[in-house]
Structures are given as C-alpha cells and as structure tokens.
Amino acid sequence: MLNFETVNKNLEAYYDAWDKYIKSWIVIKIKDPSCVYQWRLQAEIAMREAGKPGMSDDEVRDFVSRYLPAYKAYLPTLYSEGPNGSDPEHLLTIEIDEGRNPILAG
C-alpha cells in the first residue's frame, strides 16, 4: 500500500532544488489518469515488436496500477495550483486527450 506521508516527505528534498532552477512550468493535463495504462501498453508493444524486451500486458497493468493512486491524489492540486511554490504568472497548462492531442479551448 502506498504511504503518501512517506512520499510527501521524500518529495520535500526536491522542492528547493527545483524551485531554485525552474522559473516557468508547463503542465500537461489529462482528463482521465487511466489513459496512462494504454500509453504504457502502446510503448511496451512497440518495444516487443522491435525485438526489445518489454513487459507483458499483465505486467503493464500491474506496473501502472501502482502509480494510479498517486496520480489521483496529486493531479487535482497540480492542475489547479501548478507545482508546489510555482508562480501562476509562469505556468502554462495544456490539456490533452487520450490520443495525446492538445484540446483547444472553445
């Protein structure tokens, strides 16, 4: 089981390092984090077809399932506020669809 307190504690070490060097951010926003499974599966299939080692479909499902709780926990804040400590004046959010295509504002 993922312990978010431990994750957050470990991430604290990175905040100062990132904030020191990065003045602007681009956040790529996805509507549904579960599309990450399909993207990883596509990459693994391409690797297998190229004769390289790649995870099986079941291994991909298991691998991605370990990250989905973190996506669901952290993405809402990332999308609404940007990275921790970021300047909203220097934040660009681009929403993409399941095919990785930008969604144009209407």
Side-chain angles (χ1 to χ4, degrees):
M1 189 72 171
L2 184 59
N3 180 334
F4 287 115
E5 288 181 26
T6 301
V7 172
N8 288 338
K9 183 71 174 156
N10 289 331
L11 285 173
E12 286 177 12
Y14 292 96
Y15 291 145
D16 288 338
W18 283 110
D19 291 344
K20 191 183 310 182
Y21 298 107
I22 297 178
K23 300 299 179 200
S24 298
W25 291 90
I26 297 174
V27 174
I28 299 176
K29 181 178 180 180
I30 54 178
K31 284 187 178 184
D32 181 4
S34 66
C35 67
V36 172
Y37 166 74
Q38 188 61 36
W39 294 344
R40 182 74 256 152
L41 183 60
Q42 289 168 346
E44 296 297 324
I45 289 170
M47 287 174 30
R48 293 189 313 240
E49 288 175 350
K52 298 177 183 174
M55 289 186 276
S56 71
D57 294 9
D58 287 338
E59 289 171 324
V60 170
R61 191 172 292 105
D62 179 58
F63 177 75
V64 172
S65 71
R66 297 167 193 252
Y67 292 92
L68 286 178
Y71 284 134
K72 291 176 182 175
Y74 293 114
L75 288 182
T77 302
L78 177 66
Y79 294 159
S80 65
E81 300 174 16
N84 187 40
S86 65
D87 178 353
E89 297 285 320
H90 295 151
L91 175 66
L92 173 64
T93 301
I94 300 172
E95 189 169 352
I96 62 172
D97 64 19
E98 295 81 12
R100 300 183 191 101
N101 301 301
I103 298 173
L104 302 176

